[in-house]
Structures are given as structure tokens and as C-alpha cells.
Amino acid sequence: MPLFAATVFTSAFLLFLVQPIIAKQILPWFGGNAAVWTVCMVFFQLVLLGGYAYADAVARKLSPRAQAIVHSLLLAASLAFLPILAAEGWKPDADTDPTARILLLLAMTIGLPYFLLSTTGPLVQAWFARSYPSATVYRLFALSNLASLVALIAYPPLIEPLASLQTQSYAWSGVYVVFAILCAASAWTAANGASPVARELVTGPNDKTSAPGASDYALWLGLSALGSLLLLAVTSHITQNVASVPFVWILPLVLYLLSFILVFDVGGGRGRSGWYSRAWALPLLFVLISAMAYYLSQTLGVMRIHYSIGLYCAGLFVACMFCHGELAAMRPAPRYLTRFYLMISIGGAAGGLFVGLAAPRIFSVYLELPLALIACAALASLLTWRTAAAARDRRLYAVPAVALAVAGGAAWHAWEYLDYIRTDALVMTRNFYGTLRVKEYDRGEGPHSSRALVHGVINHGWQYTDPELRREPISYFGPGSGIARALDFYDGRPRRVGIIGLGVGSFTAWGRSGDYFRVYELDPDVVKIAREQFWYLTDARAKVDVVTGDGRLSMERDPPQKFDLISVDAFSSGSIPIHLLTREALRAYRRHLAPGGVIVYNVTNRFVNLAPQLKLVAEAEGMRILLIEDSPEDNKYSGTSYVLVTENEQLVADKRFAHAADIEPIKGLETWTDGHNNLFKVVR
């Protein structure tokens, strides 16, 4: 028994640990965007589905000895993929949707090892049930989720800060070899140790347990899909629309895995669905669905960060307890164990495919969360109606009636949410990189209106619509901002400026005839909107070229540009693309600087403190650093914090920067590199 438990725990630990390791390797290649994580999750869920399908087929169709032979050969073949390091040749060289490239890259880098890790849970449980027919096999499922939870919680504070990505990859590969040995040993132990009676109990013709019907399969699939959909929808909503606090994505996944552990912990007399009970879960579910739908429609879900994260994570946890608790209550006899897990995997993959691939191509806004809330209440109504019908108790029909009312209320608020999004929106679009809206506002005094580009809920710049005011550089680029002062330092001659992150093109308004601005923008839709809905680019006095693609990769391909100033201001919604802030990134920028040039980072952010990290990066490269903070009273300008990095001593001593702010160091913070970086230390 310890051998099976060790195999399941190790496989589940590696299964989850590989996800952040490989995703962090490729994240810089595709713009550092949160959507890269979503596509990776789609890949993991699809391969998990393939693994469960393999486990189901092998357990049902092959003899124990044949299972051991086939699986041992695959384990040996998977060692050829080690170590798990993505090849540089997979870096994108075009600005097309990178989804297919990411999926193929993952398949070629970790495909077979991840596939075999995915098979382990259901396959080892089937072997365990054959070897120990009287034991509670489903507790191994809770153990596998516990191992995933341990990996998830340990990675950000323990593994990531202490080891480079290359070290993590080699260490993971070493532990995978141990897993392969454990798994092969489990296969042969099960093949040699199962008694004829045990084999017949699990797979033999004398098993009197009734087979699951079509409705059982449908409910297994539906409940699993809804849990996956809720996980990804809530995570997307929090990270895109509430706050870009690093690691917020961890909490929803922790709660998702915790619900599996609790409902499948069937020991200690807690029954077929562990700690789950409709008596407490359904009332909480109805209240939380109603609250989430209400706040979503009223303020796009953007409350105070603690309240918002608390509400949506509590709602996710209770909803997952409902979905997974109902699954646990319907789990079949061990004979049908692999088929049960296969349906769970199909449902999980379906939810992931909907959020990761289908929704960005169907919807122009994030509708996944309101749809998930409606579906959750509707499914609760269906399940409780079935219970009432089976019990023939009219009093029980009150529960599905309440559930239907909650579903209707959620649908109403979803419509209000969509109506709120559409109001005053001139453009709404969505692609791999997120949602974009162009909103027009009537100010009522002074300039009559302005247009703003909104990515998620983050304003990425605005412009007056009055033709006489269109060239005024407002928002984050007022005359007192650090970047405007830095550009003014080079006044008196034609200036060359590089910009990573277009926004609406506001900074180009500072250009004059003879100046040259070269803009690097990841999202082609941002470029299109800036040209068609705003006027900064079309009215620019300076010559402006726009290069579409990741800014750092594009600069690595460009010949030296001899920029006087390079602006690094490429946030996706509010998230931080770490690969633009590392020591290697600074070296890439310096290659394009003219003698005496300056690199200006926009570090304006409520949730992370980037200035101390950039100070370490600059000092490691022998450069000087200034922090310029600006809090204008005029509401047409935003308060800003800019970090200036340069070798130009005259710039450092210039009176424009006489009131540079002190940068307080963060204890224990280390210089970021491409292979060793962690946001944990810079969270405010």
C-alpha cells in the first residue's frame, strides 16, 4: 500500500509543479501576458483527458501483465524528453495569435512525461483496487489533490525564490526519474500480486453493481465542466477586473483543489461525499451566487480589493464544493472507477476549452463568469428537482424553485453587466491578449468630451475629442511626469525615442518635427484602435513607426537604433511583464541607447513596488537610477512614478531631477534575471 500512495503523491506533485516551471520558461516569448497561462492550462487539461482515456482503456482491455509491460515501456520512452527545457527555436517571429504555437511547443517539450503523469491517478487507483479490494480506493484521489495543493502552495514562496528556472527544470527531471521507477514498480506489483478473487471483484462478470446510465455520465461531465469553468472564470475576473496583485491566481486554484480533497475524504464515517452536505452548501451557494451577480452588474465586480477577492473566492469555493460534492455522492463502484475519472477529465477539459479557446473568439467581453453563475444555479435546480421527484415529497420542490429564481436573478444581472459594458462604448473587441473598449466621456465643463482605451478595467490612456486639444499629452504624460522631464533634457536637437507599449499613443504628442519615435506594441488590435479611434498617431509632428510584436523580442531582432530615450510602459490590463524588467532586458535596451541615453520605466502601480528591484538591476549593470514621482492637481493628468536608468551623469545632476525620491530597499530582494525572478517580494 505505501508504494501505491507514494506513486500517486509523487505523480500529482510533479503534475502540478511542472505547470509553473514550463509556463514561466515560455511566458517572456509571448508577451508575458496572462493569457499564456490560460492556454497552458488548456494544454494541461487536454493531456489530462488523454491520460484518463488511456487509463480507462488499459484498465478495461489489457491483462494486468500487459498493462505493466505497456506502461513500463512508455515510462522508459518518456525519459528522452528530459530535462524539460523549451528550445529557443520556439520563439515567435510573427504577430499572429500564438495559441497553436504554444500548444505545439508544450507537446514537444513535456508532452509524454505530462501524459504519463496524467494517467497515474486513475491507473494506480485501479491497480490498488485490484490488489486491496476491501480498502477505500477513492482516498487516493484525495491524496493526489493534496499533493497538487502542496506543490501549488510551495512554489511561489519556497521553490521559485530559491532556484533558477534551469535548476528547477533539472530538479523536476530528476524527481521524474524517481517517479518512473515507482510507477513501474507499482504496475508490476499489481500485476503479480492480485488474487483471482480480487480481479473478479474489480473487473469480473460476477460484479452485481449496476452500471452507470447515460444520465450519470452526463451529470459527471456537467458537474466537472462547471467546476473547471467556475475556476477559470473567477480567476480571469479577479486578475483582469479586480486587481493585478501577483499570485491572486493561486487562491482560486487552492480552493478548487481543496474542495476535491474535502469531498473525496470519505474516511471517518463521513459518508459518500466527505465533508459536503446540501443542507449547508445550497443556502450558501444561492446567497453567494446572488451577491456575485449583483456586484458584477453594479461595478463590474470592482469593489475594495479585500471585499472583492473575499466574495468571489468564497463563492468559488462553495460552488466547487457543490459540484465536486455532488460528483463524490455519485461515484460508482471500483469496476467503473476509470470511466468515472475519464468523464471528470472530459468535463474539466471542456470547461478549459470554453474559457481558453472558445470564449475569446465568441465574446467581445468577459461573459464567462455571469454564464457560469447562471449555469451553477440551473444545475442545482436540476439536481434538487431529481431528488424531490425520486422522494415524491412536494416540500422538497421548494429548493429547485429557489435555485431557478437565483438563476433568473443571475441572468438579469448578467444582462445589466453587458449593458453597462456597452454603454458609451465606441469599440469593443477581444483577442488572445484580453478585452479592449473605447469609451467616450462627456466631461460637462472645459473640454466637452474625451476618449479612453480600457484594457480589462485599467485605463491605458485617453485623449480629448476637441480638435484644438487633441495634441495635448494628457493622462500619464503630463509636463511634470518623469518621462516628460527626461525627454525635455534632450531638447534642442532632433530626438530618437523607443517606446515599448503603445496605449493610445499619448507620448508621441511630445514629438516635434525632426524627431523619430519607434513604437513596439504586442497587441495588433491596440495598434488598430490607436490609429482608427484616436488622433495622436495621425496628428503626430514627429515621424512615428509602429512595430507589432513583443517589444523585447522585436528589439533583439532590430539593429541598434541609437535612441536618446527608451520608454518601458507595456502593461497588459494591470499585470507586470517580468521579462521586460530583468537584467537581460536592460542589456537588450542598452544596445539600442545612444551615448548618454536614458531608459524610463513606468512603475506606477498600487499593488507592487518595482523601484527597488529596478535599482538592483541598474546597479548590477553599473548604471545610475532616479525615481521621479508626480502628483498633479489638474485632473487631466494622472499621478505617476517613473524610474530613470542611465549612465549620463549630467542627466542625473540636472535640475529637472533635483527632487528625485529615495528608493527604500526591500530586505532579501535579489536582482531579477530571466531565469531567476519572483514577484512575491515586491508585493505592497
Side-chain angles (χ1 to χ4, degrees), residues 236-587:
S236 293
H237 173 71
I238 290 175
T239 55
Q240 294 287 337
N241 297 331
V242 176
S244 60
V245 181
F247 316 115
V248 163
W249 63 272
I250 291 179
L251 184 55
L253 193 51
V254 166
L255 298 174
Y256 177 83
L257 292 173
L258 182 60
S259 69
F260 268 121
I261 295 170
L262 293 177
V263 301
F264 280 92
D265 179 13
V266 295
R270 282 183 288 275
R272 286 183 57 81
S273 50
W275 297 90
Y276 170 75
S277 170
R278 285 182 180 177
W280 66 263
L282 289 181
L284 274 177
L285 181 69
F286 297 155
V287 170
L288 289 169
I289 286 177
S290 301
M292 286 190 288
Y294 172 78
Y295 282 108
L296 190 66
S297 67
Q298 295 301 306
T299 61
L300 299 182
V302 185
M303 306 177 284
R304 289 182 179 272
I305 181 172
H306 298 92
Y307 299 149
S308 188
I309 292 176
L311 171 63
Y312 287 98
C313 284
L316 172 66
F317 177 68
V318 173
C320 286
M321 286 294 291
F322 162 71
C323 293
H324 301 152
E326 296 293 336
L327 271 175
M330 289 186 281
R331 67 188 183 277
R335 177 181 180 183
Y336 307 102
L337 176 147
T338 55
R339 184 57 55 88
F340 176 62
Y341 288 142
L342 176 60
M343 298 308 296
I344 290 178
S345 181
I346 292 174
L353 285 170
F354 178 77
V355 175
L357 299 183
R361 291 159 176 79
I362 297 173
F363 307 130
S364 58
V365 296
Y366 278 108
L367 284 179
E368 294 92 303
L369 181 56
L371 291 178
L373 297 178
I374 297 168
C376 190
L379 191 54
S381 177
L382 173 63
L383 290 174
T384 52
W385 178 84
R386 288 184 67 196
T387 301
R392 297 182 180 180
D393 187 341
R394 293 183 177 180
R395 293 172 298 177
L396 295 179
Y397 283 107
V399 180
V402 172
L404 275 179
V406 171
W412 170 258
H413 287 301
W415 176 257
E416 286 193 325
Y417 163 79
L418 186 58
D419 185 60
Y420 179 85
I421 291 286
R422 288 173 171 170
T423 301
D424 296 326
L426 303 177
V427 172
M428 290 195 308
T429 186
R430 181 177 179 181
N431 62 13
F432 175 83
Y433 302 106
T435 61
L436 296 168
R437 290 177 291 140
V438 177
K439 303 275 286 186
E440 189 156 308
Y441 302 94
D442 184 1
R443 292 182 173 269
E445 60 182 50
H448 293 295
S449 66
S450 63
R451 287 186 182 179
L453 175 63
V454 182
H455 191 167
V457 295
I458 303 298
N459 192 318
H460 279 247
W462 57 93
Q463 183 176 25
Y464 291 130
T465 58
D466 189 328
E468 295 182 1
L469 299 173
R470 286 177 183 173
R471 286 183 172 177
E472 186 173 347
I474 56 177
S475 65
Y476 307 103
F477 304 97
S481 64
I483 193 167
R485 297 187 207 179
L487 185 63
D488 187 59
F489 175 80
Y490 300 97
D491 195 17
R493 59 181 173 84
R495 300 165 294 186
R496 292 180 62 85
V497 177
I499 301 174
I500 300 179
L502 173 62
V504 299
S506 304
F507 190 46
T508 62
W510 285 107
R512 299 188 306 264
S513 179
D515 290 346
Y516 174 70
F517 284 71
R518 187 172 181 83
V519 184
Y520 301 92
E521 171 54 48
L522 176 67
D523 190 344
D525 283 351
V526 169
V527 178
K528 181 180 179 182
I529 287 173
R531 285 175 169 159
E532 295 180 356
Q533 300 297 324
F534 296 87
W535 301 274
Y536 282 124
L537 294 183
T538 55
D539 292 351
R541 298 181 181 90
K543 180 183 179 182
V544 180
D545 287 335
V546 179
V547 179
T548 307
D550 177 77
R552 178 173 162 185
L553 292 181
S554 297
M555 292 184 80
E556 289 174 355
R557 291 191 289 263
D558 268 357
Q561 296 294 312
K562 297 183 179 179
F563 293 128
D564 296 300
L565 182 149
I566 296 175
S567 166
V568 183
D569 187 13
F571 298 118
S572 175
S573 187
S575 61
I576 311 298
I578 293 179
H579 72 292
L580 299 178
L581 307 173
T582 63
R583 188 173 178 180
E584 292 85 350
L586 178 56
R587 291 172 183 168

Side-chain angles (χ1 to χ4, degrees), residues 1-54:
M1 186 179 293
L3 175 62
F4 295 112
T7 304
V8 167
F9 188 93
T10 305
S11 70
F13 183 83
L14 290 174
L15 187 75
F16 194 83
L17 192 62
V18 73
Q19 298 181 22
I21 291 175
I22 195 66
K24 281 201 69 176
Q25 288 184 37
I26 68 173
L27 196 64
W29 300 353
F30 300 96
N33 189 275
V36 177
W37 293 95
T38 302
V39 174
C40 288
M41 290 187 71
V42 171
F43 171 83
F44 298 137
Q45 289 175 318
L46 287 175
V47 177
L48 188 70
L49 170 58
Y52 278 29
Y54 164 89

